[in-house]
Amino acid sequence: MKFRKLSALLLTVAVTGSALTTAAAYGTGEPEKRFPASQYRHDVMEHFSYGFKKLTMIMKGQAGSKDDIAAIAAIMAEASTMTKRAFEKDTRGMQGHTEAKAKIWDNWEDFAGRFDKLEKDAAAFAAVAKTGDMAKIKPAMAAVGKSCKSCHDDYKDD
Ligand code: HEC
């Protein structure tokens, strides 16, 4: 039951991430360069895409080892402590590519609160990942994955 649903979710996260990257690079012919703050926050967010891609392969038994889950979760938990700061600078009107919607800085409390939740969920995931108990790891991982799409739907251009 849950395992299949979770794999599908994680796969969606991974695929969406790479499809968007491809679209951004090739969609408009000559891609517009990101300004530094945009590149920085993009690179911070990529930690989560890389994390979920690896977790998906491990969960599907394609590559990697379950023994790596704790390390991957720890990296994601560390990365989550950088997310809010990476977006703090109001870059509305800056020249260059970004997928961050202007309304982030009109709704900063809501936006920042979602990163606080991601940080809490990622810390909880990292904590249970250390136990190696898959029955606890799966729901904790799903909780981390849940925030991604809803924030992207509201605050990220595709
Ligand atoms: C609070 C909002 C929020 C949450 C939660 C969030 N993101 Fe993002 N993410 C963004 C925004 C906004 C951008 C666009 C940044 C830019 O281009 O300047 C982004 C960019 C990205 C990118 C870069 C994509 C690209 O095509 O450039 C990836 C990958 C990504 N997020 C993955 C994730 C994953 C995986 C999660 C869940 C663990 C997640 N994000 C959670 C807001 C969020």
Side-chain angles (χ1 to χ4, degrees), residues 13-14 16-22 24 34-35 37-39 41-43 45-50 52 76 87 91 97-101 104-105 110-115 118 144-152 155-157:
V13 170
T16 308
S18 54
L20 292 178
T21 309
T22 310
R34 285 179 183 269
F35 49 92
S38 165
Q39 187 64 52
R41 63 197 178 206
H42 168 271
D43 291 350
M45 296 310 299
E46 286 287 4
H47 287 290
F48 300 101
S49 172
Y50 286 136
F52 274 124
M76 289 169 78
F87 283 87
T91 60
H97 180 74
T98 180
E99 284 142 38
K101 288 191 172 155
I104 288 173
W105 296 281
D110 175 64
F111 183 80
R114 293 177 191 224
F115 274 142
L118 179 68
V144 174
K146 230 174 152 183
S147 346
C148 317
K149 190 177 180 304
S150 73
C151 185
H152 287 189
Y155 291 111
K156 181 178 176 300
D157 288 329

Side-chain angles (χ1 to χ4, degrees), residues 53-144:
K53 282 179 188 168
K54 288 193 285 291
L55 290 168
T56 303
M57 283 191 267
I58 292 169
M59 294 309 223
K60 294 177 100 181
Q62 292 172 329
S65 159
K66 287 200 163 65
D67 293 342
D68 291 341
I69 294 176
I72 297 167
I75 290 166
M76 289 169 78
E78 286 291 332
S80 73
T81 66
M82 296 189 278
T83 49
K84 200 162 62 176
R85 261 195 312 280
F87 283 87
E88 238 164 22
K89 189 178 172 62
D90 180 347
T91 60
R92 281 178 286 194
M94 277 199 182
Q95 216 38 31
H97 180 74
T98 180
E99 284 142 38
K101 288 191 172 155
K103 73 176 201 181
I104 288 173
W105 296 281
D106 293 326
N107 300 281
W108 179 254
E109 292 303 314
D110 175 64
F111 183 80
R114 293 177 191 224
F115 274 142
D116 288 338
K117 178 162 185 347
L118 179 68
E119 207 174 317
K120 253 176 66 192
D121 290 343
F125 173 41
V128 298
K130 283 192 211 156
T131 69
D133 179 351
M134 291 308 285
K136 289 188 183 141
I137 287 174
K138 285 175 196 167
M141 193 192 308
V144 174

